[in-house]
Amino acid sequence: MILTPITPQALPQILDTYDAGLARYPLAQAVFRRIAATRRQCPDLKADLAAGRAKALALAAKFGIPTIDEDPAVAFSWDGAAIRTRSETSVVFHEIAHWQIAPAARRSVPDFGLGAGPETGCAGAANAAVCVDQKTQEHEENLASLLGILWEVEHDEPALLAFAEQNWLELYDRAGTHLHFVHSLEALRARRLIDAEGRPCLEIAFSSSP
């Protein structure tokens, strides 16, 4: 959920300020500009949030990730075997990103052992299945957020909406905000989940985390 609402009128100045803050980081700036360029698909910060779901389903199929055409509210977003996909396009991309990031041992755990996401109906069961510490939870949620957004960019979806909704533009004028974006990209690159141009790869993370 977005912390500080953004109006279409304020958006150009916000994006320009964020872009300027990345001037010392050419890769991060190039990636941000690809995200910002999706504004053309949502000039008033509105779009059909389910219109691109077929693209996300096609990506899941490339990874061999099973999907179920159900609302996550009836059970889990990820039930340990499949993604429930009757949700916003960005949510499906986000779950695919979680699958890429999660170690193999946690792919059989509801919601990847991270606790219930906002779409999961069986929140109690998902939270009972948590098997990582809070630092890991926060780190993987952060990486899955950004990786899912990058998949949206690659599929010509309005990724800027998710970038704003998931609070990457919060405190947009602070150096710490820009560094958070830079470091998150570096972490994805270290896991070989994005390439040298910052584009997502059809790979899974290598990880020793539980």
Side-chain angles (χ1 to χ4, degrees), residues 115-202:
E119 288 80 24
T120 286
C122 297
N127 290 333
V130 171
C131 53
V132 297
D133 59 25
Q134 185 174 359
K135 183 178 179 180
T136 301
Q137 287 176 291
E138 292 174 355
H139 184 58
E140 289 196 15
E141 284 294 346
N142 177 65
L143 295 188
S145 170
L146 185 52
L147 184 57
I149 288 165
L150 297 182
W151 277 123
E152 284 195 83
V153 173
E154 291 303 300
H155 289 82
D156 203 30
E157 287 295 298
L160 184 60
L161 291 179
F163 196 73
E165 182 69 20
Q166 296 170 35
N167 295 301
W168 290 93
L169 292 175
E170 186 71 17
L171 303 177
Y172 64 90
D173 57 348
R174 306 287 180 87
T177 302
H178 311 142
L179 284 174
H180 176 62
F181 181 66
V182 171
H183 293 158
S184 298
L185 286 171
E186 290 173 348
L188 290 174
R189 179 67 174 145
R191 289 171 176 251
R192 299 198 294 254
L193 292 169
I194 59 174
D195 64 18
E197 295 182 344
R199 296 183 183 277
C201 305
L202 286 167

Side-chain angles (χ1 to χ4, degrees), residues 66 76-84 99 104-113:
F76 304 93
S77 294
W78 170 259
D79 64 7
I83 298 173
R84 281 177 172 77
W99 185 92
R106 277 202 276 115
R107 290 202 197 110
S108 60
V109 182
D111 287 353
F112 305 101

Side-chain angles (χ1 to χ4, degrees), residues 3 8-9 18 30 40-41 64 75 97 101 115 140 155 171 183 185:
L3 297 176
Q9 294 75 22
Y18 201 106
R40 67 184 182 276
Q41 297 154 313
I101 291 164
E140 289 196 15
H155 289 82
L171 303 177
H183 293 158
L185 286 171

